[in-house]
Amino acid sequence: MTAIPHFTGDANPYGGGDPYADHRTADFPFTQYANLADRQLGAGVIAANDEFFAQRENLLLPGRAEFDPEHFGHKGKVMDGWETRRRRGASAEHPWPTAEDHDWALVRLGAPGVVRGVVVDTAHFRGNYPQAVSVEGASVPGSPSPEELLGDDVKWTTLVPRTAVGGHAANGFAVSVEQRFTHLRVNQHPDGGIARLRVHGEVVADPQWLSALGTFDVLALENGGRVEDASNLFYSPATNTIQPGRSRKMDDGWETRRRRDQGNDWIRYQLVAQSEIRALEIDTAYLKGNSAGWASVSVKDGDDGDWTEILPRTRLQPDTNHRFVLAAPVIGTHARVDIFPDGGISRLRLFGSLTEEGATALTARYQELGG
């Protein structure tokens, strides 16, 4: 695997023009995975020891951080991120922070899972970013309070060791810990500001919860479904199609570029586990002049199984939720939606329940990952 670029040191002071013109970033190999710290999944920054200059909640905002060089408040420069005050030493003789001094924020993942990579973006923090960062993970059931998470009985596992980072840069870290986590602790050493946090990984749902639900969306990201591949991601990511809730605007779905050939676009998915599918939905919400014209859905059981069409090519209406009840249940582990010829859909839902084999496999993986 190609080494991940590593950024350190100050960025040049802002000189005007496009504030992102000199932003340092790279194509990280783990961004194919969903963002487990997505607010749309229910993630939140539930506590921080200090947020004097900028609020902790900014860490999880969607989109890039904004920068207005003339925006100042009563505490100083207003920054779009999480920024703490400058740490000081204990006395005039020792005015510097110690090597152990650091600030922290507790992040509840929107969907518990295995973390494959973390991006700590210090966009616009050019001379006021942390010298180094570290990230730890914990697995705590239920809805623990910050006090409970900081208790002595909670085990924190290092995901990103203390590592120097650069200002005005997307600092990416691959993670190789095979464990299911529910919460992260993000540390900045000794102080400073972070604009955005992204936590890429694979959702691992609680099989007991899914069993209690009975019938549920076996493709939903929050339940452990994921996108394996897609023909085109020009306007928006395919993962949008399995996000919670209905689309809220046009770019909250999946839209491809305009085709100028006789082909068609598609997305291939992996289900939560082997499931019995009984109904499906294809939603084109907010896609009005650019929705797919037709769509078909297929399912296969196992990596080497044959694709079985469960919804033949069907005309779609713009900005409409289409519902289909299958004539007979179909068992599968993977799904594929084909749209004709191009355009987009906002959501795809497959409703069913885990088979006995699927439930056994999911439970085994859940237990292996420390769930």
Side-chain angles (χ1 to χ4, degrees):
M1 184 175 69
T2 304
I4 296 176
H6 188 62
F7 308 110
T8 56
D10 292 352
N12 293 325
Y14 176 62
D18 178 6
Y20 273 99
D22 60 340
H23 181 249
R24 295 175 286 176
T25 188
D27 292 327
F28 301 118
F30 47 75
T31 54
Q32 61 178 303
Y33 297 102
N35 177 21
L36 304 183
D38 191 336
R39 284 287 303 171
Q40 197 170 351
L41 282 173
V45 187
I46 61 175
N49 72 306
D50 186 295
E51 47 185 329
F52 185 87
F53 286 115
Q55 297 175 337
R56 65 183 190 261
E57 288 86 357
N58 291 335
L59 282 173
L60 306 188
L61 290 177
R64 303 194 301 179
E66 299 180 355
F67 181 71
D68 181 350
E70 298 181 358
H71 191 191
F72 288 84
H74 64 277
K75 290 185 178 180
K77 181 72 185 71
V78 176
M79 297 295 291
D80 184 7
W82 167 48
E83 185 181 7
T84 65
R85 73 192 78 197
R86 299 186 188 216
R87 280 185 169 269
R88 302 304 188 199
S91 66
E93 291 72 26
H94 297 280
W96 310 280
T98 69
E100 292 74 31
D101 285 342
H102 67 278
D103 292 319
W104 52 263
L106 295 177
V107 177
R108 178 190 64 243
L109 296 179
V114 180
V115 178
R116 299 301 183 192
V118 175
V119 178
V120 177
D121 196 339
T122 58
H124 314 308
F125 290 95
R126 295 170 177 269
N128 51 348
Y129 59 94
Q131 181 183 32
V133 301
S134 61
V135 181
E136 303 162 278
S139 182
V140 182
S143 303
S145 67
E147 293 74 20
E148 290 171 323
L149 288 170
L150 295 172
D152 294 337
D153 58 334
V154 174
K155 177 186 176 183
W156 290 92
T157 300
T158 299
L159 305 185
V160 178
R162 182 170 175 169
T163 307
V165 294
H168 197 45
N171 300 276
F173 307 93
V175 177
S176 57
V177 179
E178 288 293 321
Q179 188 176 332
R180 178 183 184 267
F181 295 104
T182 61
H183 295 78
L184 299 188
R185 183 162 60 189
V186 181
N187 305 303
Q188 45 179 337
H189 309 267
D191 54 40
I194 299 170
R196 295 290 187 266
L197 175 73
R198 303 294 185 245
V199 182
H200 297 278
E202 300 177 57
V203 176
V204 181
D206 183 346
Q208 186 176 9
W209 171 253
L210 297 183
S211 176
L213 291 179
T215 296
F216 61 94
D217 181 359
V218 299
L219 190 56
L221 177 61
E222 61 187 325
N223 293 332
R226 66 183 180 92
V227 170
E228 287 190 327
D229 200 4
S231 61
N232 188 277
L233 305 173
F234 190 85
Y235 286 113
S236 46
T239 302
N240 282 354
T241 60
I242 55 175
Q243 286 277 11
R246 295 200 71 197
S247 177
R248 298 166 296 179
K249 50 193 175 71
M250 190 173 74
D251 67 350
D252 194 18
W254 171 59
E255 182 187 0
T256 70
R257 66 188 304 161
R258 299 188 188 212
R259 277 191 170 266
R260 304 305 186 194
D261 58 21
Q262 300 300 305
N264 75 284
D265 288 314
W266 51 267
I267 306 173
R268 189 175 70 244
Y269 306 88
Q270 182 173 313
L271 308 187
V272 175
Q274 188 189 67
S275 304
E276 183 181 80
I277 303 161
R278 295 184 285 276
L280 65 94
E281 288 184 359
I282 300 176
D283 197 352
T284 59
Y286 291 97
L287 296 163
K288 298 180 180 180
N290 51 351
S291 68
W294 293 262
S296 65
V297 178
S298 301
V299 169
K300 71 173 182 177
D301 187 22
D303 292 333
D304 300 325
D306 296 326
W307 289 104
T308 299
E309 192 173 66
I310 62 173
L311 178 72
R313 192 180 304 187
T314 301
R315 188 76 167 96
L316 299 181
Q317 299 300 318
D319 195 27
T320 301
N321 192 25
H322 310 75
R323 291 178 171 174
F324 307 93
V325 176
L326 302 186
V330 177
I331 292 176
T333 57
H334 296 73
R336 173 178 168 131
V337 61
D338 286 85
I339 62 171
F340 302 89
D342 56 22
I345 61 174
S346 63
R347 297 289 188 270
L348 176 66
R349 307 295 191 204
L350 300 183
F351 296 103
S353 53
L354 297 179
T355 63
E356 184 176 347
E357 179 181 329
T360 299
L362 182 60
T363 299
R365 182 167 187 246
Y366 181 80
Q367 293 172 344
E368 287 171 4
L369 295 172

